[in-house]
Amino acid sequence: KAGVTQTPRYLIKTRGQQVTLSCSPISGHRSVSWYQQTPGQGLQFLFEYFSETQRNKGNFPGRFSGRQFSNSRSEMNVSTLELGDSALYLCASSVSGEQYFGPGTRLTVT
Amino acid sequence: QKEVEQDPGPLSVPEGAIVSLNCTYSNSAFQYFMWYRQYSRKGPELLMYTYSSGNKEDGRFTAQVDKSSKYISLFIRDSQPSDSATYLCATSQGGSTLGRLYFGRGTQLTVWP
């Protein structure tokens, strides 16, 4: 069974721009969660989507948003990028609580 | 205080050693406990997934949860150089928040031949 895929794998953006990251979950998984990983803060939860609805939300500003499509694929968007948004963005899919992570998108903001 | 505390190490052991990795957590509502392994420049890989207190064994890996002391452990027997990675503990309250995991900062492990 194919794993979680994320695109793009690497991204360089300029401060003030916006970015959209994509996540395709494991087939049959309806829950998709997003995390930000930085050396300073570790892995922090952004939000979770289940059946196209946001079910949980972490403590990130409104510049971070997401959505889920009917095929369970998910996107997250970050508007007005800041230097501090440079991080590895990971998505995870699950069917019964066990979360399986993708390889991540490494975002660099200059 | 972070919800999950984990000693970042680094931890360096010889091949064949028994490795003990530990985390503590603060919220007694946490019901689900996980260990992930993350190689450099890769996403975390789920190693162990347990519910409530007790032990779970999978090959060379044993996960222990002691809810009375809010303590989570992962033991690796007969450690191999291929076990060199960062190990992350994670917890969840379950229910409608099952999809929200709280992670420790990770322990960097090196197993040298």
Coordinates of all heavy atoms in Angstrom, one line a residue, chain B residues 41-81:
Chain B
R41 N 16.3 13.9 7.7 CA 15.6 14.4 6.5 C 14.5 13.4 6.1 O 14.2 13.4 4.9 CB 16.6 14.6 5.4 CG 17.9 15.4 5.8 CD 18.7 15.8 4.7 NE 18.1 17.0 4.0 CZ 18.2 18.2 4.5 NH1 18.9 18.5 5.6 NH2 17.7 19.2 3.8
K42 N 13.9 12.7 7.0 CA 12.8 11.9 6.7 C 11.6 12.2 7.6 O 11.8 12.9 8.6 CB 13.1 10.4 6.9 CG 14.3 9.9 6.1 CD 13.9 9.6 4.6 CE 15.0 9.0 3.9 NZ 14.7 8.8 2.5
G43 N 10.4 11.7 7.3 CA 9.3 11.9 8.2 C 9.3 10.8 9.3 O 10.0 9.8 9.2
P44 N 8.7 11.1 10.4 CA 8.6 10.1 11.5 C 7.9 8.8 11.1 O 7.0 8.8 10.4 CB 7.8 10.8 12.6 CG 7.9 12.3 12.3 CD 8.0 12.3 10.8
E45 N 8.5 7.7 11.6 CA 8.0 6.4 11.3 C 7.4 5.8 12.6 O 8.1 5.7 13.6 CB 9.1 5.5 10.8 CG 8.8 4.0 10.6 CD 10.0 3.2 10.4 OE1 11.2 3.8 10.4 OE2 9.9 2.0 10.3
L46 N 6.1 5.3 12.6 CA 5.5 4.8 13.8 C 6.1 3.5 14.2 O 6.2 2.5 13.4 CB 4.0 4.6 13.5 CG 3.2 4.1 14.7 CD1 3.2 5.0 15.9 CD2 1.7 3.8 14.2
L47 N 6.6 3.4 15.4 CA 7.2 2.1 15.9 C 6.3 1.4 16.8 O 6.1 0.2 16.7 CB 8.5 2.5 16.7 CG 9.8 2.8 16.0 CD1 10.8 3.2 17.0 CD2 10.2 1.7 15.1
M48 N 5.7 2.1 17.8 CA 4.8 1.4 18.8 C 3.6 2.3 19.0 O 3.7 3.5 19.1 CB 5.6 1.2 20.1 CG 6.8 0.4 19.9 SD 6.5 -1.3 19.6 CE 6.2 -1.9 21.2
Y49 N 2.5 1.6 19.3 CA 1.2 2.4 19.6 C 0.5 1.6 20.7 O 0.2 0.4 20.5 CB 0.4 2.4 18.3 CG -1.0 3.1 18.4 CD1 -1.0 4.5 18.3 CD2 -2.1 2.4 18.7 CE1 -2.2 5.2 18.4 CE2 -3.3 3.1 18.8 CZ -3.4 4.5 18.6 OH -4.6 5.2 18.7
T50 N 0.3 2.3 21.8 CA -0.3 1.6 22.9 C -1.4 2.4 23.5 O -1.4 3.6 23.4 CB 0.7 1.3 24.0 OG1 1.3 2.5 24.5 CG2 1.8 0.4 23.6
Y51 N -2.3 1.7 24.2 CA -3.4 2.3 24.9 C -3.3 2.1 26.3 O -3.1 0.9 26.7 CB -4.8 1.8 24.3 CG -6.0 2.3 25.1 CD1 -6.4 3.6 25.0 CD2 -6.7 1.4 25.9 CE1 -7.5 4.0 25.8 CE2 -7.7 1.8 26.7 CZ -8.1 3.1 26.6 OH -9.2 3.6 27.3
S52 N -3.4 3.1 27.1 CA -3.4 3.0 28.6 C -2.1 2.4 29.1 O -1.1 2.4 28.4 CB -4.6 2.2 29.1 OG -4.9 2.5 30.5
S53 N -2.1 1.9 30.3 CA -0.9 1.4 30.9 C -0.5 0.0 30.5 O -1.4 -0.7 30.0 CB -1.1 1.4 32.5 OG -0.9 2.7 33.0
G54 N 0.7 -0.4 30.7 CA 1.1 -1.7 30.4 C 2.3 -1.7 29.5 O 2.9 -0.7 29.1
N55 N 2.6 -3.0 29.1 CA 3.8 -3.2 28.2 C 3.3 -3.7 26.8 O 2.3 -4.3 26.7 CB 4.7 -4.3 28.7 CG 5.4 -3.8 30.0 OD1 5.2 -2.7 30.5 ND2 6.2 -4.7 30.6
K56 N 4.1 -3.4 25.8 CA 3.8 -3.9 24.5 C 5.2 -4.2 23.8 O 6.1 -3.4 23.9 CB 3.1 -2.9 23.6 CG 2.7 -3.5 22.2 CD 1.8 -2.5 21.4 CE 1.4 -3.1 20.1 NZ 0.5 -2.1 19.4
E57 N 5.3 -5.4 23.3 CA 6.6 -5.8 22.7 C 6.4 -6.1 21.2 O 5.4 -6.6 20.7 CB 7.0 -7.1 23.4 CG 8.4 -7.5 23.0 CD 8.9 -8.7 23.9 OE1 8.6 -8.7 25.1 OE2 9.5 -9.6 23.3
D58 N 7.4 -5.7 20.4 CA 7.4 -5.9 19.0 C 8.9 -6.1 18.6 O 9.6 -5.2 18.4 CB 6.8 -4.7 18.2 CG 6.7 -5.0 16.7 OD1 7.1 -6.1 16.3 OD2 6.2 -4.1 16.0
G59 N 9.3 -7.4 18.5 CA 10.6 -7.7 18.1 C 11.6 -7.2 19.2 O 11.5 -7.6 20.3
R60 N 12.5 -6.4 18.8 CA 13.5 -5.9 19.7 C 13.0 -4.7 20.5 O 13.8 -4.2 21.4 CB 14.8 -5.5 18.9 CG 15.5 -6.7 18.2 CD 16.8 -6.2 17.6 NE 16.6 -5.3 16.5 CZ 17.0 -4.0 16.6 NH1 17.5 -3.5 17.7 NH2 16.8 -3.2 15.5
F61 N 11.9 -4.2 20.2 CA 11.3 -3.0 20.9 C 10.3 -3.4 21.9 O 9.4 -4.2 21.7 CB 10.7 -2.1 19.8 CG 11.7 -1.6 18.8 CD1 11.9 -2.3 17.6 CD2 12.4 -0.4 19.0 CE1 12.8 -1.9 16.7 CE2 13.3 0.0 18.1 CZ 13.5 -0.7 16.9
T62 N 10.3 -2.7 23.1 CA 9.3 -2.9 24.1 C 8.9 -1.5 24.6 O 9.8 -0.7 24.9 CB 9.8 -3.7 25.3 OG1 10.2 -5.0 24.9 CG2 8.8 -3.8 26.4
A63 N 7.6 -1.2 24.6 CA 7.1 0.1 25.1 C 6.4 -0.2 26.4 O 5.7 -1.2 26.6 CB 6.1 0.7 24.1
Q64 N 6.7 0.7 27.3 CA 6.0 0.6 28.7 C 5.3 2.0 29.0 O 5.9 3.0 28.7 CB 7.1 0.4 29.7 CG 7.6 -1.0 29.9 CD 8.5 -1.2 31.1 OE1 8.8 -0.2 31.8 NE2 8.9 -2.4 31.3
V65 N 4.2 1.9 29.5 CA 3.4 3.1 30.0 C 3.0 2.9 31.4 O 2.4 1.9 31.8 CB 2.2 3.3 29.1 CG1 1.4 4.5 29.7 CG2 2.5 3.5 27.7
D66 N 3.4 3.8 32.3 CA 3.0 3.8 33.7 C 2.2 5.1 33.9 O 2.7 6.2 34.1 CB 4.2 3.8 34.6 CG 3.8 3.8 36.1 OD1 2.7 4.0 36.4 OD2 4.7 3.5 36.9
K67 N 0.9 5.0 33.8 CA 0.0 6.2 34.0 C 0.0 6.7 35.4 O -0.2 7.9 35.6 CB -1.4 5.8 33.5 CG -1.6 5.5 32.0 CD -3.0 5.4 31.6 CE -3.7 6.8 31.7 NZ -5.1 6.7 31.3
S68 N 0.3 5.9 36.4 CA 0.3 6.4 37.7 C 1.5 7.4 37.9 O 1.3 8.4 38.7 CB 0.5 5.3 38.7 OG 1.7 4.6 38.6
S69 N 2.6 7.2 37.2 CA 3.7 8.2 37.4 C 3.8 9.1 36.1 O 4.7 9.9 36.0 CB 5.0 7.4 37.6 OG 5.3 6.5 36.6
K70 N 2.9 8.9 35.1 CA 2.9 9.6 33.9 C 4.3 9.5 33.2 O 5.0 10.5 32.9 CB 2.6 11.1 34.1 CG 1.2 11.3 34.7 CD 0.9 12.8 34.7 CE -0.5 13.1 35.3 NZ -0.5 12.8 36.8
Y71 N 4.7 8.2 33.0 CA 6.0 7.9 32.5 C 5.9 6.9 31.4 O 5.2 5.9 31.4 CB 6.8 7.3 33.7 CG 8.3 7.3 33.5 CD1 9.0 8.5 33.8 CD2 9.0 6.2 33.1 CE1 10.4 8.5 33.7 CE2 10.4 6.2 33.0 CZ 11.1 7.4 33.3 OH 12.5 7.4 33.2
I72 N 6.6 7.2 30.3 CA 6.6 6.4 29.0 C 8.0 6.0 28.7 O 8.9 6.8 28.8 CB 6.1 7.2 27.8 CG1 4.8 8.0 28.2 CG2 5.8 6.3 26.7 CD1 4.5 9.1 27.1
S73 N 8.2 4.7 28.4 CA 9.5 4.2 28.1 C 9.5 3.4 26.8 O 8.5 2.8 26.5 CB 10.1 3.3 29.2 OG 10.1 4.0 30.4
L74 N 10.7 3.4 26.1 CA 10.9 2.5 25.0 C 12.3 1.9 25.2 O 13.3 2.5 25.5 CB 10.9 3.3 23.7 CG 11.2 2.4 22.4 CD1 10.0 1.5 22.1 CD2 11.6 3.3 21.2
F75 N 12.3 0.5 25.2 CA 13.5 -0.2 25.3 C 13.8 -0.9 24.0 O 13.0 -1.4 23.3 CB 13.4 -1.3 26.4 CG 13.1 -0.7 27.7 CD1 11.8 -0.7 28.2 CD2 14.1 -0.3 28.6 CE1 11.5 -0.1 29.5 CE2 13.8 0.2 29.8 CZ 12.5 0.3 30.3
I76 N 15.1 -0.8 23.6 CA 15.6 -1.4 22.4 C 16.7 -2.4 22.8 O 17.7 -2.0 23.4 CB 16.2 -0.4 21.4 CG1 15.2 0.8 21.1 CG2 16.6 -1.1 20.1 CD1 15.8 1.9 20.3
R77 N 16.4 -3.7 22.5 CA 17.3 -4.7 22.8 C 18.3 -5.0 21.6 O 17.9 -4.7 20.5 CB 16.6 -6.0 23.2 CG 15.8 -6.0 24.5 CD 15.3 -7.4 24.7 NE 14.4 -7.8 23.7 CZ 13.1 -7.4 23.6 NH1 12.6 -6.6 24.4 NH2 12.4 -7.8 22.6
D78 N 19.5 -5.4 21.9 CA 20.4 -5.8 20.9 C 20.5 -4.7 19.8 O 20.2 -4.9 18.6 CB 20.0 -7.1 20.2 CG 21.1 -7.6 19.2 OD1 22.3 -7.3 19.4 OD2 20.7 -8.3 18.3
S79 N 20.8 -3.5 20.3 CA 20.7 -2.3 19.4 C 21.7 -2.5 18.2 O 22.8 -3.1 18.3 CB 21.1 -1.0 20.2 OG 22.3 -1.1 20.8
Q80 N 21.3 -1.9 17.1 CA 22.1 -2.0 15.8 C 22.4 -0.6 15.3 O 21.7 0.3 15.6 CB 21.3 -2.7 14.8 CG 20.8 -4.1 15.2 CD 22.0 -5.1 15.3 OE1 22.8 -5.2 14.5 NE2 22.0 -5.8 16.5
P81 N 23.5 -0.5 14.5 CA 23.8 0.8 13.9 C 22.6 1.4 13.2 O 22.5 2.6 13.1 CB 25.0 0.5 13.0 CG 25.7 -0.6 13.7 CD 24.6 -1.5 14.3

